Amino acid sequence: MNGDFVAWEDAKIHVLTHGLHYGTGVFEGVRCYDTELGPAVFRNTEHVQRLLKSAELYYMPVPYSGDELRAATRELVARNGLRSCYIRPLVYRGYGSMGLNPLDAPVHVSIACWEWGTYLGEEGTRHGVRAKTSSWRRISPDSLIPHAKASGQYLNNVLAKVESLKSGYDEAILLDDHGHVCEGTGENIYIVRDGEIVTPGQHSSILDGITRKSVIQLALDLGYTVAERNVARAEMYLADEVFMSGTAAEIVPVREIDDHPIGAGEPGEITRVLQSAFDDAIHGRSERYREWLDVVDAADLQTPTGDASAAAPPSAATTTG
């Protein structure tokens, strides 16, 4: 937290933290994988770049460089002795002033990591999930900034997620303010029809996912055609395959939407091929994509592990800035 390694149970903030009251924070979801090269943070550079850009869009000057944040992330993983984990960097306005003008509140930075399975579960990854088109629309670019991964904006996703769970589904799919397919609560979405992969573009209020960029690159390298365009709701029902991607979820098939089975009602061939290719990339088995891996090694443990990291529970981790 703000440059210091802090024990998990001591990572505390003031009750009048501005971000707690008004959502003035931006964050990232990052994963470290156990690879043939050692533990490696997947696309660390791209995640840090998006974090810094999100902070800039919400007028939060970050007191650390991208290189410092990347190094802190690697050291955090090394200190905790984790081979694979989920990583959560957070930039937020702290205690200092109340009211809707945030500019006098200090900007704080923390990074946490812990062992965490896939967002929609191993069963969903293998056999596909059931999704519901949410009654809640994705936030409009006329109201907020969908391209920023901002804390307060995720109330939109929370409403959609809870609605889908209470209705008996695994996940929600949000439409944009024009009624086009946008994304899931924590994933980008793709449909496959007649061998072509189609995904909503930037104009559909999507978060420009880093896993999305990876999936598109993998698909193109495998010879598939990928189109970024508006997607009508009914196109999902008519698709041969539907799948989603995100850092937390990785690549997950969608077997049913709004009680309509997708294709044969099970994960499709292209989805399986991309899942396999992505798994090879994140675990360092594909030489072609090794540049996506920021390897954690002994040099990243720059200071001796002290009482702070030793106090962290096995499934938790410390935080740093």
Side-chain angles (χ1 to χ4, degrees):
M1 299 184 73
N2 295 325
D4 295 322
F5 287 88
V6 179
W8 181 271
E9 63 272 19
D10 294 330
K12 300 172 183 177
I13 61 171
H14 197 281
V15 70
L16 294 183
T17 293
H18 197 277
L20 181 62
H21 291 259
Y22 300 111
T24 45
V26 297
F27 68 96
E28 279 296 314
V30 192
R31 280 197 185 271
C32 175
Y33 291 98
D34 190 1
T35 78
E36 296 179 354
L37 307 174
V41 182
F42 185 67
R43 306 200 77 162
N44 197 11
T45 297
E46 290 87 346
H47 280 289
V48 167
Q49 288 173 343
R50 188 172 65 179
L51 179 73
L52 294 174
K53 190 62 181 177
S54 294
E56 178 190 335
L57 290 171
Y58 276 100
Y59 307 101
M60 288 187 289
V62 179
Y64 303 98
S65 69
D67 287 343
E68 288 174 317
L69 293 173
R70 287 190 293 272
T73 299
R74 292 193 304 270
E75 185 175 354
L76 177 67
V77 175
R79 277 174 168 257
N80 281 280
L82 295 171
R83 302 289 301 180
S84 61
C85 59
Y86 183 82
I87 303 164
R88 171 54 56 89
L90 174 68
V91 177
Y92 62 98
R93 291 279 184 179
Y95 167 63
S97 66
M98 294 299 287
L100 293 176
N101 178 4
L103 300 181
D104 291 332
V107 175
H108 295 302
V109 180
S110 68
I111 309 173
C113 67
W114 65 91
E115 293 178 322
W116 197 29
T118 55
Y119 179 55
L120 295 172
E122 295 299 325
E123 187 72 14
T125 300
R126 286 195 299 270
H127 302 296
V129 298
R130 297 177 64 244
K132 168 187 171 61
T133 303
S134 179
S135 65
W136 299 99
R137 293 290 177 96
R138 171 72 164 148
I139 53 173
S140 165
D142 295 326
S143 301
L144 289 168
I145 310 172
H147 286 73
K149 198 171 176 68
S151 303
Q153 296 179 178
Y154 273 74
L155 280 174
N156 182 213
N157 307 60
V158 167
L159 287 170
K161 183 70 175 183
V162 172
E163 179 186 53
S164 68
L165 294 176
K166 284 183 173 293
S167 299
Y169 297 85
D170 304 306
E171 182 56 305
I173 296 170
L174 293 95
L175 307 181
D176 67 15
D177 57 329
H178 297 292
H180 301 125
V181 174
C182 179
E183 59 187 22
T185 65
E187 317 89 2
N188 294 112
I189 189 168
Y190 316 76
I191 68 170
V192 180
R193 194 171 185 190
D194 298 328
E196 181 184 52
I197 301 169
V198 178
T199 190
Q202 304 286 332
H203 47 274
S204 293
S205 296
I206 66 168
L207 180 70
D208 189 15
I210 290 165
T211 304
R212 176 182 182 272
K213 293 178 186 291
S214 306
V215 168
I216 290 173
Q217 187 63 57
L218 289 167
L220 292 172
D221 290 345
L222 288 165
Y224 295 114
T225 300
V226 180
E228 297 180 68
R229 61 167 175 80
N230 288 337
V231 177
R233 178 175 176 174
E235 287 189 83
M236 297 189 294
Y237 310 147
L238 299 172
D240 302 318
E241 305 176 39
V242 175
F243 64 93
M244 306 172 104
S245 76
T247 294
E250 297 177 343
I251 297 179
V252 61
V254 182
R255 71 173 190 271
E256 184 181 302
I257 301 174
D258 299 336
D259 302 320
H260 295 287
I262 305 303
E266 59 186 28
E269 178 185 353
I270 292 177
T271 302
R272 288 297 192 212
V273 168
L274 288 171
Q275 279 184 316
S276 178
F278 183 72
D279 195 66
D280 286 342
I282 62 179
H283 290 104
R285 293 189 293 266
S286 295
E287 185 81 31
R288 185 173 191 173
Y289 306 109
R290 290 263 173 99
E291 64 180 10
W292 290 349
L293 304 176
D294 193 5
V295 178
V296 177
D297 55 36
D300 291 309
L301 192 56
Q302 296 186 15
T303 55
T305 301
D307 293 338
S309 60
S315 62
T318 55
T319 54
T320 182

